[in-house]
Amino acid sequence: MKYVDKVLENLKKQNPNEPEFHQAATEILTTLAPIVEKHPEYEAAGLLERFVEPERVIMFRVPWVDDNGKVQVNKGYRVQFNSAIGPYKGGLRFHPSVNLSIIKFLGLEQILKNSLTGLPIGGGKGGSDFDPKGKSDREVMAFCQSFMTELYRHIGADTDVPAGDIGVGGREIGYLFGQYKRIRDEHVGVLTGRGLTYGGSLVRTEATGYGLVYITEEALKMRGDSFNGKTVVISGSGNVAIYACEKAQSLGAKVVAMYDSNGYIYDPDGIKLDIIKDIKEVKRGRIKEYAERVSGAEYHVGCKGIWSIPCDVALPCATQNEIDAESAGLLVKNGVKYVAEGANMPSTLEAIEVFQKSGIVFLPAKAANAGGVATSALEMAQSSGRMFWSFAEVDAKLKNIMVNIYHNIDNAAKEYGYEGNYVMGANIAGFIKVATAMMAHGIV
Ligand code: NDP
Ligand code: 2IT
């Protein structure tokens, strides 16, 4: 039995009931066979066994009091997965679906994503099953303060630097930072995605969505093409989706559909992003309101239908497993040419297979959405240096990072004989740096 298969089989046995973690590990490990075969010393050093086992898993109780005076208890998580190339780095997700399997899949992906940025950041992820939706600002603050009252002892600017993810945006980061500063009496870069008045970086809000479009733009450019005139479908309507839409539109694309977890809107004239921003960023409302405000736009209950809309470029930007094999098949049948993942693991393993067999350009999450964490690392650099860079400066660095990622994964895929297979390219290119650092550190 091959080394990678042995490790995967053992992982499934030792971590039962963690389907998302199994899925991410399968996607990664099955592509690493060529590189571990080239380096027999990896097996001798138990490198893959150590790579798939988090360095530390922290789970804790988060008690808080709601607006009715009732005590609520949520689960808190931080998985410090791998610190070989830098301090643990990765977001916090607040969503009722959060469990250990989801945090571990995100943490494992994060290791290779952070490596691909070329910056010195290790991999981690955390979160809670707390649902910020429908909560008052005071309830969100009470929750964040309680969450940080445990988390503060495990993190630090050179140890572990959390950020946002689903359900964690500027408001939550502000409350979390306020509590950290109060407990530790340190104003340091311990969280990224901070507000611009207290150590945040310009472009961090836009970074994941912009970065997604920059890497897709490079893939288009290498094929003599561009976003101009393309029809684009974007799932989600949160941070990543909104800024992917903004950048794609600025490059001349027509974005015709977006969704939230209740349903999708279709606007054949092109989405008016100022209205989406008003509904989602200002009012924290539902996307259904878009169809009530814009004539000619349609609202459909349920999410899956969005993938039946014909488009040239699909940018899934909501959550894991939002595209199954059937939806992937529909996209391909209706002429999609590029799929780039803004969300983490939005395509099932079967959907990826459909995309790859069809010959379309498929840019996997750990490469395509790395712009967010890359800009977080730029925020860390500014914090350490007591600097504040201009929008143009950070944006230029972000674009450069995304263009480099494209060429790195493209070259790695070619070098190992899998030209055009960016899943192989991203996993191999990301893994080499982490593996080299882990080997240098000895058995730790
Ligand atoms: P937000 O919370 O800002 O937005 C999430 C969006 O996805 C919302 O529109 C939400 O709808 C929708 N969504 C969430 N869960 C589901 C679901 N189960 N079914 C359908 N729709 C759903 O999060 P982000 O935009 O920050 O994150 C989106 C994705 O991008 C995630 O996969 C995240 O891990 C990934 N990502 C984020 C980065 C960042 O910097 N923020 C960086 C890299 C990746 P609703 O409002 O109805 O819940
Ligand atoms: O999935 C991700 O890369 C993020 N949610 C961003 C992490 C970060 O530290 O900026």
Side-chain angles (χ1 to χ4, degrees), residues 83-400:
S83 61
I85 68 173
Y88 309 108
K89 181 84 197 86
L92 297 172
R93 177 177 292 189
F94 293 170
H95 191 273
S97 64
V98 163
N99 57 37
L100 187 60
S101 172
I102 288 177
I103 299 299
K104 282 172 71 180
F105 112 66
L106 290 163
L108 184 64
E109 280 279 294
Q110 199 83 42
I111 304 169
L112 298 183
K113 179 195 308 192
N114 294 4
S115 170
L116 286 172
T117 66
L119 299 166
I121 39 178
K125 200 86 189 189
S128 175
D129 59 357
F130 173 74
D131 186 0
K133 221 176 281 163
K135 303 287 191 299
S136 69
D137 285 353
R138 195 212 59 83
E139 288 177 316
V140 171
M141 180 175 72
F143 174 81
C144 288
Q145 290 181 341
S146 180
F147 187 85
M148 186 53 85
T149 300
E150 173 58 34
L151 189 69
Y152 87 92
R153 67 185 88 246
H154 308 289
I155 63 176
D158 293 314
T159 309
D160 183 358
V161 183
D165 194 82
I166 292 177
V168 178
R171 175 182 60 173
E172 291 74 19
I173 293 292
Y175 294 145
L176 290 164
F177 183 77
Q179 185 72 350
Y180 180 88
K181 185 169 69 62
R182 181 187 188 194
I183 297 175
R184 278 268 166 109
D185 197 16
E186 274 180 6
H187 200 298
V188 291
V190 68
L191 290 160
T192 58
R194 282 170 289 153
L196 298 175
T197 55
Y198 60 96
S201 173
L202 286 164
V203 193
R204 179 61 190 88
T205 302
E206 296 85 355
T208 312
Y210 278 20
L212 174 68
V213 171
Y214 289 148
I215 195 169
T216 311
E217 187 188 19
E218 188 65 12
L220 282 154
K221 189 173 141 198
M222 287 301 121
R223 290 160 181 82
D225 208 343
S226 79
F227 262 106
N228 198 22
K230 293 283 182 294
T231 299
V232 179
V233 166
I234 301 180
S235 64
S237 47
N239 173 264
V240 180
I242 285 175
Y243 292 96
C245 179
E246 182 168 289
K247 184 53 75 176
Q249 287 181 336
S250 78
L251 297 174
K254 188 182 194 186
V255 179
V256 295
M258 290 177 96
Y259 70 46
D260 63 23
S261 58
N262 295 118
Y264 71 92
I265 50 154
Y266 173 60
D267 186 344
D269 299 329
I271 280 178
K272 283 90 193 151
L273 192 60
D274 53 335
I275 296 182
I276 296 281
K277 282 186 177 177
D278 182 57
I279 295 168
K280 287 290 167 186
E281 293 186 333
V282 182
K283 305 204 168 84
R284 295 183 190 273
R286 307 308 300 161
I287 208 163
K288 180 171 119 187
E289 293 160 35
Y290 183 92
E292 289 154 15
R293 286 168 65 172
V294 179
S295 68
E298 302 165 11
Y299 176 71
H300 298 263
V301 175
C303 295
K304 214 177 158 179
I306 202 170
W307 308 119
S308 66
I309 299 170
C311 61
D312 305 302
V313 180
L315 304 174
C317 294
T319 194
Q320 64 273 1
N321 294 329
E322 50 179 323
I323 303 183
D324 59 12
E326 188 192 348
S327 299
L330 266 179
L331 280 166
V332 170
K333 185 174 133 233
N334 290 330
V336 79
K337 293 283 175 301
Y338 295 82
V339 175
E341 297 185 323
N344 285 305
M345 205 167 79
S347 313
T348 63
L349 292 171
E350 297 75 23
I352 296 175
E353 202 180 321
V354 171
F355 290 140
Q356 291 191 320
K357 282 200 175 131
S358 74
I360 65 147
V361 175
F362 175 71
L363 294 167
K366 63 177 73 67
N369 72 31
V373 76
T375 308
S376 279
L378 300 178
E379 181 174 330
M380 290 164 71
Q382 291 169 82
S383 299
S384 307
R386 305 269 184 259
M387 311 263 271
F388 188 66
W389 300 336
S390 70
F391 193 96
E393 211 172 337
V394 183
D395 192 37
K397 287 187 203 293
L398 167 63
K399 187 165 184 182
N400 190 37

